[in-house]
Amino acid sequence: MKTTVRHSRGEYVVETTTLAGVLAALGAEDFVVTDTNVQGALGLGPECFAVEPGERSKCLATYGSVMEWLADRATRGSRVVAFGGGVVGDLAGFAAATYMRGVACLQVPTSLLAMVDSSVGGKVAVDLAAGKNLAGAFWPPERVLVPMDALATLPDREFANGAAEVWKSGAILDRGLLERLEARPISKQDEGLEWVISRCIELKAAVVEEDEFETTGRRAVLNFGHTVGHAIEQAQGYCGLLHGEAVAVGMVAEARLGEAIGETVAGTAERLRAGLASQGLPTALPKGLAWETLVGAMRRDKKAARNGLAFSLVSEIGTCRLVTGVEESDVRRVLEAM
Ligand SMILES: NC(=O)c1ccc[n+]([C@@H]2O[C@H](COP(=O)([O-])OP(=O)(O)OC[C@H]3O[C@@H](n4cnc5c(N)ncnc54)[C@H](O)[C@@H]3O)[C@@H](O)[C@H]2O)c1
Ligand SMILES: [Zn+2]
């Protein structure tokens, strides 16, 4: 399945394929960046640059070594291939954006999260000590090839992690998709998985086309569950729940908040809680997190403003909007009840 994404400098195609299809599309001017898990699991050769797996590789030091590796072999006409999960996508994408002031980037997402979320939209970055994604760029890929059979080796916890973003897409943008997930949570064996992934790509592409550079607020709707989710990840020092898991808890919390302030149709939070639990995702706040710590992190969220906290809230399943000026006392009541 194919989706075309238009952006300010042109357009690119996101296409589902197989690992063999990806390898056949690579040529002598392609330089593959991956991580050692993906290299081993998918049998990539020694000619690629493989970083250590995990978020810690999305740093300036690793970025520097990718750039030096490129400098030894790549020219202005070369293409950087980001072959892996979201960490590799963001890291290699940022290297592509900056090597010789920008060379082409082929995104090959191999985790479910990267397929439905990070490989589409052109945001690339590395983390700084002061925070995540602080050094980055908008650098649309030249093409995105999604090898469906790569999911066979993805660990189950990572699959569920990506599934959280799939549920999010249904909750905020597509009631039909959410109902499909409620009827049958996705699994690697699911015959409809390629359709579900392609639908998520289409949904994200449409939002990104409307607000490529995050200036109108439209792109912020993709942040449903993320204000609370990011706060949980930060409070746990990024060593607790995985991103998608934290977002699952965040979606339940933010749906409850929406119900409490009259923004969300009653019953939505329970509906999402039951669905996310059926997908094997956590839906309760991890123990031992003080609400003050969480609200403190939410105050630093990029959507927050002087008049209060901001959340992308579901109105009813399939529609959502950015709500600003939310009182901390309302957030506190919801978190304490969880
Ligand atoms: N640019 C964006 O718009 C955007 C959006 C969302 C998330 N992100 C970023 O994405 C990152 C998270 O991405 P992620 O969840 O893919 O993490 P990840 O890249 O760390 O991958 C998760 C784990 O799965 C392994 N893996 C990936 N594909 C595999 C496969 N096919 N077989 C076996 N193992 C495999 C990886 O080695 C890693 O251990 C974060 O850094 C986040 O900030 C970016
Ligand atoms: Zn996310």
Side-chain angles (χ1 to χ4, degrees):
M1 286 176 227
K2 277 188 193 182
T3 306
T4 300
V5 187
R6 275 161 288 270
H7 57 86
S8 56
R9 284 186 292 240
E11 60 180 43
Y12 58 92
V13 172
V14 186
E15 196 178 336
T16 52
T17 178
T18 58
L19 285 163
V22 172
L23 296 178
L26 299 185
E29 279 303 314
D30 283 315
F31 295 92
V32 177
V33 179
T34 186
D35 74 27
T36 53
N37 280 345
V38 174
Q39 184 182 36
L42 304 183
L44 299 180
E47 65 288 353
C48 52
F49 189 86
V51 304
E52 287 296 310
E55 184 71 25
R56 286 197 13 217
S57 283
K58 234 180 85 174
C59 65
L60 287 174
T62 312
Y63 162 76
S65 40
V66 174
M67 295 293 275
E68 297 293 355
W69 179 77
L70 289 172
D72 285 340
R73 31 185 72 70
T75 64
R76 205 174 283 283
S78 300
R79 183 166 68 164
V80 174
V81 183
F83 207 126
V87 164
V88 165
D90 281 8
L91 170 73
F94 187 49
T98 47
Y99 181 64
M100 292 183 135
R101 300 200 179 82
V103 296
C105 180
L106 170 65
Q107 289 280 349
V108 183
T110 62
S111 70
L112 180 58
L113 185 135
M115 291 177 181
V116 298
D117 193 353
S118 59
S119 65
V120 177
K123 284 209 268 179
V124 295
V126 297
D127 304 331
L128 302 183
K132 272 195 58 145
N133 300 323
L134 287 182
F138 289 98
W139 192 249
E142 180 196 77
R143 196 175 175 195
V144 184
L145 289 176
V146 182
M148 292 297 303
D149 48 347
L151 293 174
T153 55
L154 186 71
D156 290 342
R157 188 177 174 195
E158 294 293 347
F159 184 86
N161 184 52
E165 302 283 2
V166 175
W167 280 80
K168 179 199 76 178
S169 297
I172 61 174
L173 295 167
D174 185 351
R175 186 158 60 100
L177 172 60
L178 194 97
E179 287 168 351
R180 154 69 176 78
L181 298 170
E182 287 177 320
R184 202 157 29 104
I186 49 171
S187 70
K188 290 184 196 173
Q189 293 75 32
D190 195 328
E191 284 184 359
L193 185 59
E194 186 169 342
W195 178 84
V196 169
I197 289 174
S198 301
R199 182 69 190 133
C200 291
I201 291 168
E202 272 171 21
L203 291 166
K204 178 159 184 191
V207 172
V208 165
E209 280 185 355
E210 278 179 54
D211 184 16
E212 183 182 355
F213 300 113
E214 255 178 348
T215 46
T216 69
R218 179 62 185 156
R219 201 161 170 163
V221 300
L222 299 171
N223 251 228
F224 173 54
H226 283 62
T227 312
V228 171
H230 283 150
I232 295 171
E233 288 183 273
Q234 226 181 75
Q236 294 185 319
Y238 299 95
C239 316
L241 294 182
L242 298 175
H243 172 74
E245 294 171 341
V247 167
V249 177
M251 286 191 276
V252 176
E254 293 180 17
R256 287 193 181 165
L257 174 68
E259 290 183 24
I261 64 174
E263 181 69 31
T264 303
V265 170
T268 306
E270 176 47 30
R271 204 173 148 185
L272 288 175
R273 191 207 57 74
L276 292 164
S278 74
Q279 184 70 64
L281 284 160
T283 55
L285 269 186
K287 288 194 177 35
L289 293 184
W291 74 269
E292 292 95 333
T293 316
L294 293 173
V295 171
M298 289 178 216
R299 268 185 222 127
R300 292 188 296 275
D301 182 88
K302 63 184 171 196
K303 300 185 294 310
R306 216 171 275 158
N307 67 342
L309 304 175
F311 296 84
S312 160
L313 295 179
V314 169
S315 317
E316 58 181 318
I317 293 293
T319 58
C320 63
R321 75 181 188 104
L322 184 64
V323 179
T324 55
V326 178
E327 304 273 353
E328 290 186 7
S329 54
D330 288 323
V331 179
R332 175 184 180 165
R333 240 181 306 126
V334 166
L335 293 179
E336 282 181 341
M338 283 180 80

